[in-house]
Amino acid sequence: MRQLLLPVAALFLSACTTTPVPPADPQQAWVDFTTPTPGSRLVMAQRLDGKNLNDGRYFQMPPGSHELMVRFDFEVPAGGGLGGLSSMMYRTCFMTLQYDHFQAGQRYVLEGRSLAFTPNIRLYDSARQLLAEERSVNCI
């Protein structure tokens, strides 16, 4: 029995480790994520130009025009509380954004925000200039 426990434990521990984010390719554009809104839990890459991604921690793509889809999870009031002390639940939204001028070697930031039940995402360049906002939002 002990001989079986060691490989099983090693398997579980290896599943908990995360792989490092690869280095940014200077021939491609890179998009990082941020969630400055309190209660924001997750902004994650979902699709690039309609294709599912294997690693949702970033977007890396060739220069040019691209459609990005992200998953954004954030807290919303669940209701039912007394005196304004309602419980919270998470809302999950999938949002797409189109930007036509990604440049090689540039880093961009995709920022997820929420105001109550309304989410939005914004794409900024390294100088913090607003480049694009979501064009569609689908929440579940």
Side-chain angles (χ1 to χ4, degrees):
M1 184 69 166
R2 270 190 184 161
Q3 292 172 337
L4 180 61
L5 287 177
L6 185 58
V8 170
L11 179 65
F12 283 124
L13 288 175
S14 68
C16 294
T17 62
T18 59
T19 58
V21 174
D25 180 346
Q27 301 302 312
Q28 298 198 47
W30 182 280
V31 179
D32 289 310
F33 306 114
T34 185
T35 57
T37 307
S40 296
R41 186 172 125 190
L42 172 75
V43 175
M44 186 171 124
Q46 194 72 29
R47 292 183 182 184
L48 175 62
D49 298 327
K51 296 178 184 169
N52 288 333
L53 298 173
N54 292 330
D55 192 341
R57 298 176 292 173
Y58 62 92
F59 284 109
Q60 183 167 246
M61 69 216 105
S65 178
H66 294 284
E67 179 183 82
L68 313 178
M69 177 188 272
V70 297
R71 174 184 172 169
F72 181 37
D73 294 359
F74 58 96
E75 282 185 337
V76 294
L82 297 174
L85 299 175
S86 65
S87 61
M88 302 300 278
M89 62 182 234
Y90 282 102
R91 185 169 195 204
T92 299
C93 297
F94 295 92
M95 298 184 282
T96 58
L97 175 141
Q98 177 75 36
Y99 183 62
D100 296 330
H101 307 288
F102 284 104
Q103 296 178 9
Q106 296 298 309
R107 289 189 85 111
Y108 300 87
V109 174
L110 191 66
E111 186 175 276
R113 293 178 173 261
S114 64
L115 179 60
F117 285 86
T118 306
N120 71 27
I121 55 170
R122 295 178 178 168
L123 181 69
Y124 295 96
D125 65 10
S126 59
R128 191 78 180 146
Q129 293 181 329
L130 179 63
L131 303 174
E133 293 186 74
E134 77 280 344
R135 70 171 193 206
S136 72
V137 176
N138 296 304
C139 298
I140 53 174

